Amino acid sequence: MKTQVVDVKNVKKFYGKKGENQSIALNGVSFSIHEGEFVGIMGPSGSGKTTLLNVISTLDHATDGVVQIAGTDITIMKQDQLSDFRSQKLGFIFQDFNLLDNLSIYENIALPLSLQGVPSREIGPKVKKVAETLGISAILSKYPSEVSGGQKQRCAAARALVHEPAIILGDEPTGALDSKNAASLLEAMTNLNDEQGVSIMMVTHDPLSASYCRRILFIQDGELYKEIHRTSTRDAFYKEILDVLAGLGTQKA
Amino acid sequence: MLFKLSMSGLKSKLKDYLVLLVGLVISVSIFYLFQTLALNRAFIEANSVISQIQFVFHAGSVLLAIITFFYILYANSFLLSLRQKEFGMYMMLGAKKRKITVLMFIETIVIGFVSLIIGIALGIGLSQVIGQLLMKELEFTAGGYHAFYVPSIVVTCIFFLVLFMLSAILNSIKLSRVSVLQLVHSDVQAENSFVKGKKTFGIAFLSIILLAIGYAAMLNMATLQQLGIIISLVTTTSGTYLLFMSVLPLIIKKLKANKKRFEKGINAFTFAQLNFRINSLTKVLATVAMLVALGAGAISVGMAFKNNVMIMVEGFNTYDVVTHNPTAEEKNILADIKFDEKYEYHYKVDDQFVYYTKEDLEKQRPIIQTFQDEKSFRKKEKVTGELPVGSIVGLEDQQSGLAVPEEWAFALDTIQPYYLYPDHKIKIIDQKMFGDVKGKEGIAIIGKSDDFQAYMMEWKKIDELQQKKYGNDTNMYSKYRSYQDMYGFASGTIFMGFFLGIAFLAMMASCLMFKILSGATKDISRYQMLRKIGVRSTLLTKSIYKELFLVFLFPAIVGIIHVLVGMEMFSFILIAPYFRVWLPIVIFTVIYASYYCITVQLYKGIVFPKTN
């Protein structure tokens, strides 16, 4: 049995003050992700998947429950500890890239390393290596505004990877990409997962994107609704996902 | 309908508009403030020791107009940037371009008008308050200064109406040139325009030549006169602008090129922010540098004139007080003063001479001015040499050997002022002879306190008592009077210096803050992103401090250099223009540093989310 990278126990998240109109975003979610897994999280809008991601990525506090990442309980950490934790253990890929437009691609990718105090002479090779893996070596000296959306997202992926985090968290990473770019990004992520054993958790509402995952958790109304594993081909998994989504739809209606 | 829509759009960006409006209002009121002095010809001519003061003010007006012009243009392009995206959206929904252009035009004019009215009102208030405060502080009571001054209002109105009209037209033209798509995506377009290598070096070289000419003109102001003012004004100003446009991006680039430093911690981001911002900042920073130079310069000149008063007074009078046969009241006052040096000399007066003893004088050798060529004006030493018995002050006949040596004659001038016994000569005798002289005995006291200016009230009182003692017809003379005369002579200039200094510093503050805060909204997402990938907020704060520090640093350095060179201009009228020049510079640094801190706090308030 591989070690757990993420362990979520009975996590609850309420918005608003107690006693008043409290809205429930997460209502006791529990699951865990093991090292080297590629997990997708799906669910309709408002199901709480983004909240879940925010809680795991330490950007938001859980109202109740325990979240452990790489063996550390993040719910009891202080603000600065959380910042350090994010910069060391987590890698982010956002829907809108979130690259800094005033830094070149190279500088963007190098930033997490600089922040951790990696010596300058070690930064160069690391950036180049990760850029090669993601096929963006040629555009390193350009600025984000000068490259395409797909390239931007690869850069974001490179930045998420470069400091070798415990897990990569994706928030709709293909959301702003066309199908070709989306496919190539997902293939790159799959390769990372397969060949380098990088753990990935990705929130998406796109079934095709989700079909690249090994396991998918479905969330509805702040609760875990269903969990499916990929056992055969991606096509078959894709159909399976569609079936579950359809089920979600009818149950709602 | 479109108008209503645009009004609601305006409301949604109220904070940005507030920043804009404050910036404009301040520039209007400072312009007004300046004009209340510049246009009040009678006042400045009556109250200045500089003969060409009128011309200096004209030159200043031109300079201020140039600075204000750039400032207003920048402010209005900011206004345009605020509205671009929204206007683009209206156009996408089918609004006609012409209508949008008109809308933009009207908006610029309306904002200009509002800021003009508020600005003039504020300007009147400010000039009233600053004027009164300074006059009180400087004990300067010349009439003729009007805070509410109609010519100033008229000129300010005309100047700004023209400026706003111009920028409204410019904004409209800019708007009509860009496409709808450009407008809609205006906020994602990076302002990455990098300067080309060779051209930059050319411009940098030119700017340094211009500055050199300007400095040369300032250093030779005495010979060049009005021409010098014009030359230095034109070359220094344009040189400063070119310097910032060419050299500053190069410096930042150099800083960035140091890989080791650049890739350490958050430095990459800090320098990237700077590099990214510097191109749009160059003109504003040059403006700030000029305002720093003007503000700190005006205050330095004011202070130099103030210091000059004391230098002149000290030059003419070594001893703070000279009194003969003090009354009880005088003695009381003297007892409270801490003297560094205080001597008492006994003398006797008969119908021909005032007699002093050799022993008395040689035991208590007073300080005199050594010699009066220009360079050694302030050099002072104790009288040396012997005092021959029987010598007489002011005796023409040198051969008889009875004349008092020159140094001693100077000293006795102080001890026995001419006005006491105008028709008596002073004769030096020895102690034994002194006993035999029949005549009225008296005592002369001279004293030098540890700080002349600390005992102003005491000197004044002694002065009055002495006048009473000697009688009103006596044409009395004292250090206190000499100070009063000198001060009265210079106070008009001191007043103008401080007044303008405050005005320019206020304008500079608003200029810098405005520029930095107006760009802050764009930075929010950058800081948000950095927080997401795990940058500690303390580190982000450090980055902001560092970045803004560099932004503040460059204009301060250039401005202070301008001031230090420019002070030389006044060497023809001031004895020591650089005496205590550190004081205004320290004052300026403190004010500037507090602007820096305030700007950082405001900026942090915008780019960091509120913590709950």
Side-chain angles (χ1 to χ4, degrees), chain B residues 144-160:
Chain B
Y145 176 72
H146 312 286
F148 183 85
Y149 194 54
V150 178
S152 174
I153 296 178
V154 173
V155 168
T156 309
C157 281
I158 293 173
F159 179 71
F160 278 94

Side-chain angles (χ1 to χ4, degrees), chain B residues 455-597:
Chain B
Y455 300 108
M456 246 16 177
M457 285 313 292
E458 282 82 354
W459 307 139
K460 191 179 176 202
K461 239 182 251 156
I462 291 176
D463 204 67
E464 282 163 4
L465 290 170
Q466 272 184 291
Q467 187 76 65
K468 214 159 75 187
K469 192 168 65 186
Y470 304 143
N472 277 333
D473 338 323
T474 310
N475 203 355
M476 219 187 97
Y477 173 80
S478 71
K479 187 168 184 176
Y480 173 75
R481 292 205 180 180
S482 143
Y483 176 83
Q484 284 298 315
D485 290 349
M486 290 288 185
Y487 188 74
F489 197 51
S491 62
T493 314
I494 300 173
F495 171 78
M496 287 177 213
F498 285 173
F499 188 88
L500 295 181
I502 293 169
F504 286 135
L505 287 185
M507 175 121 175
M508 177 211 76
S510 95
C511 203
L512 250 186
M513 272 193 219
F514 174 68
K515 171 63 204 175
I516 287 162
L517 296 183
S518 66
T521 2
K522 278 187 187 166
D523 295 333
I524 294 177
S525 61
R526 294 195 194 124
Y527 286 98
Q528 199 179 1
M529 199 241 97
L530 284 170
R531 256 200 329 279
K532 274 190 190 166
I533 67 165
V535 183
R536 279 176 175 224
S537 45
T538 45
L539 200 58
L540 287 180
T541 311
K542 228 168 95 189
S543 162
I544 291 176
Y545 269 105
K546 200 168 181 179
E547 183 199 337
L548 293 185
F549 176 74
L550 287 172
V551 166
F552 270 74
L553 183 67
F554 293 119
I557 291 176
V558 175
I560 294 291
I561 294 176
H562 283 358
V563 171
L564 289 179
V565 176
M567 285 306 285
E568 181 61 29
M569 276 195 290
F570 294 91
S571 60
F572 72 95
I573 196 163
L574 297 174
I575 295 161
Y578 292 100
F579 178 63
R580 284 202 193 143
V581 78
W582 55 268
L583 184 64
I585 289 178
V586 166
I587 292 175
F588 162 78
T589 310
V590 170
I591 297 174
Y592 199 67
S594 51
Y595 287 157
Y596 163 67
C597 291

Side-chain angles (χ1 to χ4, degrees), chain B residues 329-345:
Chain B
E329 213 173 335
E330 275 182 271
K331 277 182 188 158
N332 266 339
I333 299 169
L334 288 174
D336 286 341
I337 295 169
K338 211 178 137 226
F339 284 103
D340 281 351
E341 219 173 85
K342 189 178 162 202
Y343 300 137
E344 290 184 18
Y345 304 99

Side-chain angles (χ1 to χ4, degrees), chain A residues 59 80 83-84 86-87 92 94 98 100-103 106-107 111 114-115 120 123 143 159, chain B residues 192 194 256 259 262-263 265 268-269 272-273 276 526 529-536 539:
Chain A
L59 293 172
D80 279 346
S83 285
D84 292 348
R86 280 204 294 277
S87 67
F92 291 97
F94 300 95
N98 263 325
L100 288 164
D101 52 1
N102 51 6
L103 292 176
Y106 175 90
E107 289 159 5
L111 192 58
S114 301
L115 288 172
S120 185
I123 290 178
Y143 281 83
R159 188 183 61 187
Chain B
N192 255 341
F194 291 106
K256 225 185 132 178
K259 244 194 153 97
F262 184 65
E263 288 190 336
F269 176 72
Q273 271 287 87
F276 188 69
R526 294 195 194 124
M529 199 241 97
L530 284 170
R531 256 200 329 279
K532 274 190 190 166
I533 67 165
V535 183
R536 279 176 175 224
L539 200 58

Side-chain angles (χ1 to χ4, degrees), chain A residues 49 52 120 180 182:
Chain A
K49 56 185 190 304
L52 180 63
S120 185
K180 205 176 133 213

